[in-house]
Amino acid sequence: MPKANVICRCEEIEIDEIREWIARGYDTFDELKRELRVGMGPCQGRGCRDIILREIAKATGQPVAEIAPGTMRPPVKPIKISLLAEDFREGEHR
Amino acid sequence: MTDFPKTADIVIIGGGGVGTATAYYLAKSGRKNVVLLEKNTVCSGSTGRCGAGIRAQWGLELNCRMALACLDTFEHLDEELGLPTGLNQGGYLLVAYKEKEWAQFQKNVELQHSLGIMSEAFTDVKRAQEICPGVAVDDAIGFTFYQRDGHADPFLTTFAFQEAAKRYGAKFCKFTEVIGLKAKDGGMTVETNRGSIDCKEVINCAGSWAQDVAAMAGVKLPNWAERHQILITEPVDPGVCPPMLMSFSGNYYIQQRPHGSIIAGESPSSDIRLGYTSNVNSIASIARTVLKLLPRAKNIRVVRQWAGHYDMTPDSAPILGETDVKHFWHATGFSGHGFMLAPVAGQIMTALLNGDKPPFDPTIMDYRRFERGERIVEPNVV
């Protein structure tokens, strides 16, 4: 069985796929996220983000610190629909 | 990134669904030196934030015809572009809660049938539950359904257009913001943060920023951006919401991607326009709606919320065609339907720029209609 190096466990994305899309010019975290769904799973990129940013840094020659980490969105942790629904406030803007 | 073009045949401003589809069809038609400029990255604006729906259930003949042509295109797009678009044809189940709305739906279905869109109108809740198991719609008075409607992945679709356009020679420049537009003899000069490009034609596909881009060339567009919010859940087994479940009067749309995540959204109550801020009350409100309609989804967890823009016009219909400034074209103002109509928009723009007969006569979508006091009246929009 060939070895698979899974970087994003939520979406089961391997390092080779990430490198392939970086080579095609998708060399920002947000572009890779949109194409491969890395960072879109339940962990929201907690597992894969740093590894991917390092890969982008390697490919573009920029320091990791200068690679945009992509947008982080609420909620911080997954919340059940029933629990969220209780938070609705009538009359407040949405 | 170093070989920034100094000249181009056609410059497209905006890398959303409409811009990338236009780049693809132009390059495929044989146009050389097509350059697309995107101020951020491709699919970072309205298309990448949209609800992903594609439907032929419209109430205006032109929209029905255009949307049907889009469905035809989407059904073969993976093959044509060589990459998946994530098309899922679970149908659109439209729910009416008001008598007037239901009467309009029945008229729409009659029109749709005359155009070959074999949608179904019914009042039986059990039929709705066959399509969408467990859906709680006892308070609804009627439904329409069309199986060929559905949704695709806006990211994959836009990137697939981009990759296919590149293969035909189109060039894409990201992080390239247009800061000025000047008319010149036989073309235009496009000024950007990375240098200027002399070109023959410019197409404004800038969506929510189209009015700003148009103003650079002295053209006044009546567009505005409208912020909408949306949520997505963790992936779960399929079957929670097989169709795109949508209601205009109920103010919701809910769908489940083939990947398992449920996407749900609603129209806003606040008047925030341009901006991507999101608030808790919005996802709480959407969650409440999902819970009411699909009670068994109660333990599914929401992983993310975000905001995006509807690129609105006064009649919620697009602006297509050339402007008073020669060589300056528009494909914008899709009012929340740019992703689903992108293939046809690209096909029309390509025909117009090549001097061919477009698949649909876009005259009615001319931006001067607003000055003339004309409106395109589509009854089937949110």
Side-chain angles (χ1 to χ4, degrees):
Chain A
M1 202 175 135
K3 267 192 200 166
N5 197 345
V6 174
I7 296 305
C8 165
R9 284 181 289 182
C10 297
E11 304 289 335
E12 297 182 346
I13 301 299
E14 295 173 24
I15 191 84
D16 291 347
E17 290 172 87
I18 289 163
R19 288 177 179 157
E20 181 193 324
W21 282 93
I22 292 175
R24 283 188 192 178
Y26 293 64
D27 56 5
T28 61
F29 186 83
D30 278 344
E31 283 170 295
L32 294 167
K33 174 173 104 177
R34 293 182 185 122
E35 176 60 39
L36 298 170
R37 300 194 58 83
V38 289
M40 285 190 181
C43 96
Q44 292 288 287
R46 282 180 182 79
C48 65
R49 192 181 305 270
D50 287 347
I51 301 169
I52 292 168
L53 294 179
R54 274 206 301 279
E55 283 299 316
I56 296 171
K58 258 198 275 178
T60 61
Q62 288 172 277
V64 170
E66 283 172 26
I67 310 288
T71 313
M72 286 164 226
R73 303 189 188 284
V76 172
K77 287 216 161 179
I79 305 174
K80 283 181 182 177
I81 284 174
S82 51
L83 205 62
L84 259 178
E86 286 175 21
D87 247 13
F88 177 70
R89 285 164 204 270
E90 200 75 59
E92 266 182 35
H93 275 311
R94 27 175 194 86
Chain B
M1 294 288 272
T2 47
D3 56 339
F4 189 69
K6 290 200 165 53
T7 59
D9 193 10
I10 301 166
V11 166
I12 297 166
I13 303 170
V18 174
T20 53
T22 303
Y24 167 71
Y25 288 109
L26 276 168
K28 189 189 168 201
S29 80
R31 294 302 290 254
K32 306 285 176 224
N33 216 351
V34 174
V35 174
L36 185 146
L37 310 179
E38 164 55 51
K39 73 168 179 171
N40 196 323
T41 53
V42 161
C43 210
S44 59
S46 304
T47 297
R49 296 160 185 277
C50 79
I54 303 166
R55 64 175 156 110
Q57 291 188 74
W58 289 86
L60 194 70
E61 181 173 339
L62 176 70
N63 286 336
C64 284
R65 286 188 190 278
M66 289 203 300
L68 192 58
C70 283
L71 276 182
D72 289 340
T73 303
F74 267 107
E75 283 171 354
H76 303 100
L77 207 52
D78 290 22
E79 240 173 282
E80 184 178 342
L81 302 180
L83 282 168
T85 60
L87 179 66
N88 179 283
Q89 290 177 295
Y92 255 66
L93 180 61
L94 293 177
V95 186
Y97 293 94
K98 291 182 174 157
E99 289 295 344
K100 223 177 128 189
E101 185 182 29
W102 176 230
Q104 183 62 48
F105 274 20
Q106 288 166 290
K107 272 191 220 164
N108 295 346
V109 165
E110 226 173 276
L111 170 74
Q112 289 157 12
H113 285 186
S114 76
L115 301 169
I117 300 161
M118 299 322 281
S119 49
E120 175 188 348
F122 55 92
T123 53
D124 188 359
V125 171
K126 283 202 187 75
R127 172 68 185 128
Q129 288 167 338
E130 268 171 35
I131 296 162
C132 190
V135 67
V137 281
D138 282 336
D139 49 348
I141 56 174
F143 310 85
T144 66
F145 179 68
Y146 184 49
Q147 185 70 63
R148 282 179 73 199
D149 289 345
H151 40 91
D153 187 318
F155 303 127
L156 295 184
T157 305
T158 309
F159 290 154
F161 271 125
Q162 174 175 236
E163 290 304 305
K166 280 193 210 164
R167 283 200 296 277
Y168 282 115
K171 214 175 222 166
F172 288 73
C173 304
K174 57 184 171 183
F175 301 121
T176 306
E177 187 170 1
V178 173
I179 51 177
L181 282 173
K182 275 187 200 138
K184 65 178 184 78
D185 219 17
M188 293 191 94
T189 302
V190 183
E191 290 165 4
T192 80
N193 60 332
R194 296 176 60 205
S196 56
I197 307 173
D198 283 322
C199 63
K200 291 182 191 143
E201 315 280 351
V202 174
I203 312 175
N204 180 3
C205 302
S208 291
W209 296 270
Q211 66 276 36
D212 301 335
V213 169
M216 292 175 195
V219 173
K220 205 168 173 260
L221 289 189
N223 304 40
W224 69 90
E226 190 178 276
R227 185 194 66 160
H228 285 235
Q229 297 186 64
I230 185 166
L231 64 74
I232 189 163
T233 72
E234 62 192 331
V236 292
D237 286 343
V240 178
C241 188
M244 173 73 92
L245 179 66
M246 181 169 178
S247 175
F248 305 114
S249 58
N251 186 22
Y252 60 75
Y253 62 87
I254 307 169
Q255 53 117 319
Q256 186 176 20
R257 291 296 302 150
H259 162 274
S261 291
I262 294 153
I263 291 177
E266 62 175 22
S267 288
S269 69
S270 71
D271 57 1
I272 291 177
R273 291 188 168 181
L274 203 59
Y276 291 142
T277 52
S278 47
N279 64 359
V280 177
N281 211 40
S282 170
I283 42 169
S285 171
I286 301 167
R288 198 173 67 142
T289 306
V290 176
L291 190 62
K292 173 180 173 271
L293 289 157
L294 302 167
R296 68 205 166 103
K298 66 176 191 285
N299 288 329
I300 299 173
R301 297 176 303 166
V302 174
V303 293
R304 200 160 58 250
Q305 83 173 115
W306 68 94
H309 299 139
Y310 277 31
D311 168 26
M312 299 300 296
T313 66
D315 61 2
S316 305
I319 290 172
L320 283 184
E322 201 170 11
T323 59
D324 286 334
V325 176
K326 238 181 142 2
H327 309 292
F328 187 39
W329 305 76
H330 283 105
T332 184
F334 285 84
S335 305
H337 309 104
F339 172 60
M340 72 172 81
L341 294 173
V344 149
Q347 291 158 11
I348 293 175
M349 294 315 290
T350 298
L352 288 176
L353 269 89
N354 288 343
D356 299 333
K357 188 177 179 285
F360 299 93
D361 181 6
T363 320
I364 188 180
M365 292 180 273
D366 176 33
Y367 76 114
R368 299 171 194 90
R369 69 178 180 271
F370 303 109
E371 283 170 20
R372 291 194 298 261
E374 293 164 17
R375 293 285 185 275
I376 299 173
V377 182
E378 165 58 59
N380 241 16
V381 286
V382 182

